[in-house]
Amino acid sequence: MTTDLNIINLRAAAEALMAHGVDVHGADARGLPLHSNGHLGVDLLQVPPNTSFPIHVHPGDHLLLCLAGEGTISVGERTYEVRPGDIYMVDGDTPHAVGAGEAGHTLLAIGAPHKPVESPDRMNFTDWSGTVTDAPLFVEHGHG
């Protein structure tokens, strides 16, 4: 049982993200690990302007909360607009892709089971059917 509580301020974390974040494996993005107990974890992600995560799957479910910027989430070949305050859940092993608009996209990602942002096991590149691919596939801008 934990006796000390570790409280992290999201504003301070967002300011520290670019200086102390790490490259996200498989994507043009930076991530800052915030909390993990080995099963459940949370990371802060910054997707640079006009870039995206390729179509991929994670081994577990995750919630994504848009904190800043605007972007997209593509699931099942359909693309949805996302803006600050929007929260959505992606079930484990569901092919999806995340994109950023002109201002970039800052997301809070909560997942279980949790994998570190720089881990090669965090995500696998797939096509829309979930078949693993060797090379990343990207959603075309305006798709959906």
Side-chain angles (χ1 to χ4, degrees):
M1 183 164 129
T2 302
T3 57
D4 293 326
L5 184 63
N6 185 14
I7 298 173
I8 296 172
N9 181 277
L10 286 178
R11 279 192 204 138
E15 290 173 7
L17 178 61
M18 294 316 289
H20 302 289
V22 296
D23 291 337
V24 174
H25 177 77
D28 182 15
R30 299 281 289 171
L32 184 66
L34 300 180
H35 284 295
S36 180
N37 65 7
H39 176 69
L40 177 65
V42 61
D43 303 302
L44 192 59
L45 303 174
Q46 172 60 48
V47 186
N50 301 312
T51 64
S52 62
F53 278 64
I55 302 167
H56 64 280
V57 296
H58 298 278
D61 305 327
H62 62 285
L63 290 169
L64 293 152
L65 169 62
C66 179
L67 299 175
E70 294 184 353
T72 59
I73 175 69
S74 299
V75 178
E77 298 188 62
R78 185 169 176 192
T79 299
Y80 304 86
E81 298 292 323
V82 179
R83 62 183 186 272
D86 290 347
I87 187 170
Y88 53 93
M89 185 168 77
V90 178
D91 292 333
D93 295 321
T94 298
H96 63 285
V98 175
E102 292 180 15
H105 200 174
T106 303
L107 301 164
L108 189 68
I110 304 163
H114 181 256
K115 301 286 185 179
V117 293
E118 71 277 14
S119 172
D121 296 332
R122 184 175 173 99
M123 67 177 168
N124 291 315
F125 301 137
T126 67
D127 61 17
W128 284 121
S129 69
T131 302
V132 175
T133 62
D134 292 331
L137 302 174
F138 290 90
V139 175
E140 292 180 31
H141 186 68
H143 179 236

